[in-house]
Structure formats: C-alpha cells, structure tokens
Amino acid sequence: MALVLAAAAACAGAGSAQAQTTLDESNSPVQIDGGATSITVTSGTNAVVLPNYASPGVEQGWITIPDNGLVLDYANSILSSPASSSPFGGASTGAQINVESGATLTFAGVPTLGYGQWVAFNNLIRASGDVVIENTGGNSINLAGANSFLGNLTLEAGAQLNTGQTWGAPVQLTFGANSNVTLGAGAQWFINQGTNTATIGGRLSAADSTATVNLSSGTLVVNGQNTTASPFRGTLTIGAGATFVVGDSTHSSAIFGDPNYVDGSGLTINVVRNSTGTPATLQGYGTIYAAVNNASGIVQPGGTAGTLGTLTVGSYTQGATGILNVEVSPTGASQLKVLGAASLSGTLNITVDAGEYGNAVYTVLSAQSISGEFSNIVTSGNTSGAIVGLQVTSTSYSLVTESTESTQIISHLSAANRDHIKLFTGALYDTIATTSESYGAPRQDYGRGVSLWMAPIGQRSNVRSGNTGYRADAYGGIGGFELALPHKGKLGIAASYTSGSIDTRSGTAQASVDTLDLAVYGGLEFQNARIDGIAFYNRYDATADRQLEGYGTISSSPKGISYGGSLQLSRGIFDNAVVPFLRGTYSFHKQKGVVEAGGDALSLAFDEIRLHSFVANAGLKIHPVAPIGKVKLRPEITLAVEHDFSNPGEYVTGSFATITGSPFSYYWSGNTQTAGVGSIDLTALLSPRLAVFGRVDGRFTSRQDSEAASLGLRLRF
C-alpha cells in the first residue's frame, strides 16, 4: 500500500506552541516492517525513524522530534557481523520512504543491539529532501541496496552509516547534482558498491579530524567544492580496487580537502594496496588540498584512458610500489600538478596515444620542488614520425616530442656535398679536354710550359621527393696551375671555393655552407687513347638552423670532409670529332657529429655521418665543328649517363642533446641512382697566350635537376 503523511497528521503535538514534542507511548508510529509499504514524507515535514518504539519496556523517552514531525517505527533487523547469514528481516521486504524536496528524514535512537552491530534496510530511501543519521550508540545503520540521496546527507557526531552492500551484488548509490554530504566528529561512512560509480554533485565535508570515510569498493566522484568554512579534515580510506575521483571531466573546478592549508599540511590521503596486491586509485580533474601519500596505490590525473586532465594536489609522496599513470596525445597531456613539494620513487607510466606528433613539450608532473626520482619509467605507444624523450628538471617531468622532418637538413649537407664533388670533378675533366691536343686543340695555340686558369662559377641543385627535399645554391670561383708534359701530357693543381645555402622544401630548416676543394690532376696519351685522373680533397663548414614553431630557432655548426680519386679513359674517333669515355669516381665522406644549441629540451645531438661512394659515367664528347675563325672558337658537347653505385638516400641518426631519450634514425630516399649528364663548353683563343672559355652543364633525374655555369680565362707563361 502507499501512505502519504502530511505535517498536520504527524503526531498528537502538531500545531502546539512547543518547539519540541517529547515522544511517548501516546504517539502512533507508522510501521515500516515488511510488506510493500511506501511512505512519502511531504515537503515541510520532518520524519524520524526510531527502533522498536512500540516494544514494551524500551526506554526511549529522551528522543524528541519537531512539532511537525512524524515517527517511522521498525523492528530490529540485526546482523551480528558482515559474515552473518541472518536475513534482513521485515525491513528488507520492500518498504520505501520517499522524502520530498524540502522534507527531512532523520534516523535516531539507539537500537537494542550489542555495540557494533548493524540495523539493515534494503532499497529503503528515495530522497529528494535531506537525510540525517544521528548517533546510534555505536551501532551502524545499513542502508543497503539502491538508495538515492538527491538532497543533502548528514552524519551527525558519532553516527555510523553503511551504504551500497546487499546480500547479492553491491548496487549503485545515487546523489543529486547539488547534494552535499557532511560528517560530524567521530562519524563513520562506509561505502561498498562493487564496480558501480556514485557521484556527489556537491561537496564532501568533515570539519573534525575524527570523521572517517571508507570507500571499500566502486568509484566515488566528488564534484563540489570544499571551502575554508566547510573543509574536509577527516580520514579518507580508499580500499583495494576502489577509485576516488575529485572532479570529473566536466567539473575541473572541484575542490576536496582543506583550503585553509593550500600546501596540503592540513590533511593526508593515503593511497595503498592490499596484501594481495590490488591497488587503490586516486584520480580526477580537480584540486585536492591535501598531502597525497601514494605509498603503494595508483594516482591518475584526468579520467580513464583517452580522457586527459590535470589533477592538482597540495603535496605528493610516492613510495617504491606506488604508480603514477599519465597519458599523452598529440593535442595535450594529463598532468599531476603539485602545489608544494614532491618526493618521488616507484613507477611512472606514460601512455602515448596514437597520432601524428610534432614539436612539443608535454609536462606530466610539476611541483615547487622535487626530491628523489622515479625508479622505473615505462612508456607505451608510438609517436608516429617524431623523436621522443623525457625531460627531468628540479621542478618537472615532461615528455618531449620532435618532428624528424626538419632533421634532414643535417643529411642534406652531406648529400649536397656529394653532388658538389661531381660538379667539381666534371669541371676539371672539361678543363683537361679543352686544352688537349688530341681533342682538336693544337698545343701550340696555348704554348708550352705553365699556364694559369681561373673562372667564377655558379651552381644550383633541386632535389625533391613529394613535398620533401631541398634546394642548394652556391657561388664562388675555381682556378689552377697547369704544366705541359711530354706525350701530350699535363699535370696541374686546382682549387675551388664556394659559398652557398641549402633550404628545405618544407621551409623549416636552412643552412649556409662554405666549401673548399683542392685537387691534383693530369693525363697523357698512349696508342691513340688517353688516360686522365684526379685526386681531390674537399671540406665544408656550415651553419644549420631549424625553426621549431613555438620554440624558436635551433642552430648547429656541422663540418665535413671528403676525399677520393677519379680515373677517365677516352679515345677519339672520326678524327677526334667524337670522343667516347668511361669515368669512375670514388670518394669517402665524413660529416662530424654536432650538437645543437638554443632549443633547450628540443636540441638534438646528431651522430657522425660516414659513407663511401662510387660513381660511374659513360658518355661522349662531341666536337661538332672545327675551330672557327681567327679566335679558333671551338664548341664541345658532352652527353653521358651517370650511375651512383652507392645508396643516394640520406640517413640521419642521433638523440636529444640535453634529455634522456631513445636514439632516433630517419631515412629519406633522396635522389635516384641514375642520372643524365650534359654540358656545353666553348673555348676561344684571343692571343697566343690568352684564351677564354665558358661552360654550362646539367644533371637530371626524376628527382633532381642541377646546373652549373662558369666563364674563365687561361693565361700562358
């Protein structure tokens, strides 16, 4: 049946001028034992639940209720211990009390039980109004099952309340969006709700340190704010496997603890695990004004996996078996923010979500000061396309990620120098050709003995693969001394200096580079064939800058050397109108390791680059016409196929310069191995001792176009 009780029918004393009415045997309490009784406490009504009111011989005369109160009576439903097999009795068979908004339901009186036993009700409370638990003389009120407290719940001094547990599986508690739970001195609240979650929309407060909250199982979320006037100073125990959450993802303004002590000195929260190793968990998005002692449990800022957030605590201590779980995504990271000091040990677990990571510093722990360190740091997941490291300072732990794309400027320097050597050796072979008698340029035109030649040069190279690659430009000069030898031979020395730049196609990195080349060259004829050779040494000094958005420019000064030799065999046909040739060039390249500056945690230390290269050329030199006019203008066309037997791809390896991180390795496919090479040379004899020459050449692949040009003078002594 359903019974609605209004204030006017509450008790015999209703409407009198007395502030209190003493409860005696003249009252007619409503029984809530057994059956499917449903009782509604209407707005403005104060109801009191008493034990065994009608039982003869029970002294209860000290209990008082307000004038407009009503009495709800029950027979003792006794559980001698949590392990008891006793039934719940009449109070478990379906009675419900509906407390309307504006009404109050109070559990009062001392049951006739031994100290420390339970009085149990199952699925009893549906409260939109307030519920009060008074001191029950050392016994516990067990509001088992699915109870809802949409108003305020108050445990007065000495009260004991158990919630959640049933004979079957634990069930969920329900609180309102503005519900406050308040504990008096010595009050005890035990929460056991299995894997369910209860969310208190208001605050959980206890002004006295003797109040206790024991979260045995399940998850308890507190979204309200403790204040200096309504702090929590009691003891909070988070049981094995249970989770306490301060502020869910929509309540980052939640505050728990004692705001009178921002550094946490007014309250300690212990996060531990039980003897079988099951840990308790503390997590959330809000602020905890307490000293958090994570002796052996789990602290997890934010929420479950995939929900990032910041949890703020007064101070933090982590023991050898404690765990701090944090999570990082491309857009942010969860963080434990410690307002005071942090003392560290145990494990730091960093979960890295999938995604494309760029240049970023993700702070996962910050404090005013840090002592100790994590003894175990575990990172799981993959930062696609990025380098990963851990930055540790005196006040923070941060995960650092950096895009590997801009690191290619370092390997571009080495690759561009390989192309430069090809252009340099090619220019020397063309110089040999333009002064070779066997190629249709009579030696007497240039005289015998020593000659000096020089020319300004310009070079440009474009290497690309999709949106990646680089452009290299250089300008400078080349020159040498040459000595005529018997058998139409020659021996010379040459030097070249260029200054240029390299720019990545992404625009994120640039380098300026100065290059010096030195060479000895020569050749001679035998049996209508010719052999020429070059031995060379090359070095370059560069300044490389990488622009990291939000972090400024990081600079380094790479330096490299190369050396090697080249040999060419040729034989003129058709009266030297066509000269087929074969050429092979070996070189060794070494670029020293270098450390960047200016990027703090994002600065990198690049390893040394070492590689061997062998390039072969097969082609023709064509003299389409005999020397023309008085100046004996002579054109020459070179067409060849070039193949690089080494891998033209670019490798760059290294690690972070100032922080702990795993080594990185990045490969870019670079240029293709086979290229088409062509050049046009013009030589004019202005006088018996002076000649001018010009040259334009190019190298072309599906990924590269390179050009060089020079215009020079040759003077005979």
Side-chain angles (χ1 to χ4, degrees), residues 467-540:
N467 294 324
T468 59
Y470 63 92
R471 175 188 172 114
D473 297 285
Y475 303 92
I478 185 172
F481 288 95
E482 188 175 294
L483 176 66
L485 299 174
H487 302 288
K488 301 179 182 179
K490 60 180 64 181
L491 179 65
I493 60 173
S496 170
Y497 172 81
T498 59
S499 180
S501 63
I502 298 176
D503 295 271
T504 60
R505 288 175 63 86
S506 64
T508 58
Q510 301 82 33
S512 60
V513 56
D514 295 321
T515 305
L516 174 67
D517 304 284
L518 301 174
V520 177
Y521 67 93
L524 55 84
E525 290 188 6
F526 65 98
Q527 297 182 355
N528 202 33
R530 185 168 184 87
I531 181 169
D532 298 289
I534 302 170
F536 58 85
Y537 171 84
N538 157 280
R539 69 164 294 161
Y540 58 91

Side-chain angles (χ1 to χ4, degrees), residues 305-317:
T307 56
L308 309 179
T310 297
L311 178 63
T312 302
V313 301
S315 64
Y316 183 71
T317 300

Side-chain angles (χ1 to χ4, degrees), residues 265-351:
S265 58
L267 172 67
T268 298
I269 296 177
N270 295 307
V271 188
V272 298
R273 65 184 65 205
N274 63 8
S275 58
T276 63
T278 302
T281 300
L282 174 66
Q283 64 185 46
Y285 297 78
T287 298
I288 302 175
Y289 289 126
V292 175
N293 179 26
N294 183 11
S296 55
I298 296 173
V299 172
Q300 183 168 311
T304 56
T307 56
L308 309 179
T310 297
L311 178 63
T312 302
V313 301
S315 64
Y316 183 71
T317 300
Q318 182 164 306
T321 55
I323 298 172
L324 174 61
N325 286 337
V326 293
E327 185 175 358
V328 176
S329 78
T331 58
S334 59
Q335 177 185 350
L336 179 64
K337 182 178 181 180
V338 184
L339 300 175
S343 176
L344 303 179
S345 185
T347 298
L348 170 64
N349 279 332
I350 305 176
T351 300

Side-chain angles (χ1 to χ4, degrees), residues 196-274:
N196 295 298
T197 299
T199 301
I200 300 174
R203 62 179 173 266
L204 171 61
S205 60
D208 193 274
S209 61
T210 59
T212 61
V213 176
N214 192 320
L215 179 61
S216 299
S217 65
T219 299
L220 180 64
V221 181
V222 178
N223 283 332
Q225 296 181 340
N226 286 123
T227 65
T228 55
S230 298
F232 184 91
R233 295 172 180 162
T235 298
L236 170 65
T237 300
I238 308 171
T243 300
F244 184 67
V245 181
V246 178
D248 59 26
S249 60
T250 61
H251 293 84
S252 60
S253 60
I255 297 174
F256 180 75
D258 190 350
N260 294 285
Y261 301 93
V262 176
D263 62 354
S265 58
L267 172 67
T268 298
I269 296 177
N270 295 307
V271 188
V272 298
R273 65 184 65 205
N274 63 8

Side-chain angles (χ1 to χ4, degrees), residues 118 215 280 402 459 466 564 632 647:
W118 294 357
L215 179 61
E402 184 169 346
Q459 301 171 349
K632 297 183 180 181
N647 185 351

